[in-house]
Amino acid sequence: MLFIGIVISIFLSIILISKTKKTQADWILVVWLIAVAINLFLYSFQEKGTIFQNPLIMGWIFPMPLLYWPFLYLYVRALTFKQKLQLIHLIHFAPFVLSVSMFSTFYILPSFTKIEIFKRNGVGYEFEMNINLLAIYISAFIYTVLSLNRLKEYSILLKNEFSSIEKINLYWLRYLILGMTIIFFVVIFGNDALIYYSVTVFIIFIGYFGIKQVGIFSQNNFQIEDSTPDIIKYEKSTLVEQVALKIQKEMNLLMTHEKLFKDAEINLEQLAEKLNVSSNHLSQVINSLENKTFYEYINHLRVEEFCSLIENGDNKKLTLLAIALDCGFNSKSTFNRNFKMMKGITPSEYLKQLQEGKYSF
């Protein structure tokens, strides 16, 4: 099974390297997968006992897990943030470097000495082993929390940029973080064999999900430029109240006359171009004066348009879903969710209150 994990890791790395337009996130994932393959390779030697015939690679397995969670966080960050990672971000691998340094005295020992220490379960290096294990626990916890927070921030920020977010698939990133979280608990409560077999299952899962879900390797992601919270971001804004009110008025007039919300793919940048204002200023206007995210603002207009058409008896020959799609919604689930969030009842219940039995899905 370990061999399968090694093969899949290498195979996925080759697929990513062969992409014509590789992103920084692709390269991070490539290096991460190679690190996993090396780690599984080292453990397979240790499990079979052939490590004693290869004393040069003894001990290198200890710091390897310290690479896993920093790679997770940097990968999530690269997928959700437009600004590229800089050399300063290599600081995340400081624990790995320190761990290698800590075991450096072991690496330079004569082969027969290293073999003897291994046979005696690390006698003489108990302190280093405990510190290394503690570092793995801390690294796993910190970077899992950072990754989850980054994904949560990203989910919120998407609603300030797009009117439809259903095509922006974050599920696989959630699965990735969940898988690493499970491995974290296995590290705490399991033994070495269970840990590395869990890593193998995780790699197999990534491989299967990657083949089934194109998004993993195509990287059709929507990255956000600014992750600064709105309150902090707007403190430095140059937008004065009078101008903000003017933008709000022009925006609402534009929506009333041109009904731009009917475009299922309308986003903040496109609307800002129509109004000839910056997207940052427009976002501030919607957040502050409309008290909504861009996503909420557009979908609110879509729901109101739907209700108006139904109440006026227009499009009687169309189903509710057809009318909803014409109003700018791109799916039945999105329509139902936004309608109930705004009106407190389902579209069908709303319809029954108006005119029993004239419309149906």
Side-chain angles (χ1 to χ4, degrees):
M1 190 172 180
L2 292 173
F3 177 75
I4 294 174
I6 295 169
V7 171
I8 292 178
S9 297
I10 296 172
F11 175 69
L12 296 180
S13 298
I14 293 172
I15 290 178
L16 287 167
I17 292 173
S18 66
K19 282 182 59 177
T20 54
K21 295 182 180 180
K22 289 179 283 295
T23 65
Q24 191 175 60
D26 289 327
W27 285 115
I28 292 172
L29 186 55
V30 166
V31 179
W32 185 11
L33 289 169
I34 292 174
V36 171
I38 293 172
N39 197 193
L40 292 175
F41 177 78
L42 291 173
Y43 181 73
S44 67
F45 269 69
Q46 186 170 307
E47 185 186 45
K48 295 175 183 179
T50 53
I51 190 76
F52 299 111
Q53 283 79 52
N54 300 274
L56 284 176
I57 63 175
M58 280 184 171
W60 285 100
I61 195 173
F62 303 142
M64 291 299 294
L66 287 168
L67 293 174
Y68 284 21
W69 285 275
F71 271 128
L72 169 68
Y73 170 68
L74 293 176
Y75 182 62
V76 171
R77 190 186 187 282
L79 283 178
T80 59
F81 202 44
K82 282 185 178 179
Q83 293 181 0
K84 290 188 175 182
L85 296 171
Q86 307 296 325
L87 287 176
I88 188 65
H89 291 104
L90 292 176
I91 193 68
H92 292 288
F93 298 106
F96 171 77
V97 175
L98 291 174
S99 178
V100 171
S101 301
M102 186 172 61
F103 287 107
S104 61
T105 57
F106 175 82
Y107 298 141
I108 61 175
L109 289 173
S111 296
F112 68 89
T113 305
K114 288 199 284 188
I115 292 172
E116 186 62 26
I117 292 173
F118 246 70
K119 287 182 177 180
R120 297 174 64 186
N121 297 318
V123 171
Y125 283 87
E126 293 89 349
F127 175 78
E128 288 84 350
M129 295 291 289
N130 288 332
I131 292 296
N132 188 71
L133 186 59
L134 179 62
I136 292 172
Y137 291 162
I138 294 173
S139 175
F141 177 77
I142 290 176
Y143 285 107
T144 299
V145 171
L146 287 175
S147 298
L148 287 171
N149 283 342
R150 178 58 203 162
L151 201 58
K152 182 180 178 181
E153 290 175 4
Y154 182 61
S155 299
I156 295 171
L157 289 166
L158 283 174
K159 291 188 175 182
N160 277 324
E161 297 280 343
F162 302 97
S163 64
S164 300
I165 59 175
E166 285 67 29
K167 292 183 180 180
I168 307 174
N169 192 344
L170 300 179
Y171 287 116
W172 101 270
L173 279 180
R174 293 192 181 104
Y175 294 150
L176 196 66
I177 297 172
L178 175 62
M180 292 298 294
T181 303
I182 292 172
I183 292 174
F184 169 55
F185 284 106
V186 174
V187 169
I188 295 176
F189 300 107
N191 53 33
D192 285 350
L194 184 59
I195 292 169
Y196 284 102
Y197 280 101
S198 297
V199 171
T200 301
V201 171
F202 180 60
I203 290 298
I204 293 172
F205 172 77
I206 291 178
Y208 174 79
F209 196 84
I211 294 171
K212 298 287 286 186
Q213 304 293 331
V214 179
I216 289 185
F217 296 118
S218 64
Q219 303 300 340
N220 293 322
N221 298 288
F222 297 81
Q223 297 170 309
I224 301 296
E225 184 72 46
D226 187 5
S227 63
T228 309
D230 291 338
I231 295 176
I232 299 174
K233 181 169 63 178
Y234 297 150
E235 282 181 355
K236 298 180 180 180
S237 174
T238 58
L239 183 64
V240 296
E241 183 178 1
Q242 187 176 0
V243 176
L245 290 171
K246 181 182 178 183
I247 293 173
Q248 181 191 31
K249 181 179 179 181
E250 291 178 352
M251 175 183 68
N252 288 330
L253 284 173
L254 185 65
M255 285 298 174
T256 300
H257 295 303
E258 296 192 23
K259 298 185 184 295
L260 298 179
F261 55 82
K262 287 193 172 186
D263 179 358
E265 303 301 326
I266 185 73
N267 58 47
L268 182 73
E269 188 174 344
Q270 290 171 340
L271 181 56
E273 288 179 1
K274 279 278 187 180
L275 293 167
N276 196 29
V277 299
S278 74
S279 56
N280 285 337
H281 283 172
L282 181 58
S283 179
Q284 182 179 347
V285 168
I286 295 172
N287 292 164
S288 303
L289 300 183
E290 296 290 337
N291 198 28
K292 295 180 178 70
T293 63
F294 178 76
Y295 177 86
E296 292 167 342
Y297 173 71
I298 295 296
N299 284 291
H300 175 88
L301 293 173
R302 289 168 177 168
V303 169
E304 289 296 341
E305 178 73 6
F306 173 86
C307 292
S308 177
L309 293 175
I310 294 297
E311 290 170 6
N312 293 333
D314 297 337
N315 301 304
K316 291 182 178 180
K317 295 182 180 180
L318 299 177
T319 64
L320 293 182
L321 179 58
I323 297 173
L325 294 176
D326 184 59
C327 291
F329 290 104
N330 57 12
S331 71
K332 180 178 178 179
S333 60
T334 304
F335 166 56
N336 286 337
R337 182 172 61 254
N338 280 279
F339 191 96
K340 189 169 184 179
M341 188 180 300
M342 181 175 166
K343 297 295 184 180
I345 56 177
T346 65
S348 297
E349 291 169 341
Y350 182 82
L351 178 62
K352 287 179 182 179
Q353 295 178 7
L354 294 175
Q355 196 172 10
E356 185 72 27
K358 286 194 174 184
Y359 295 90
S360 62
F361 282 97

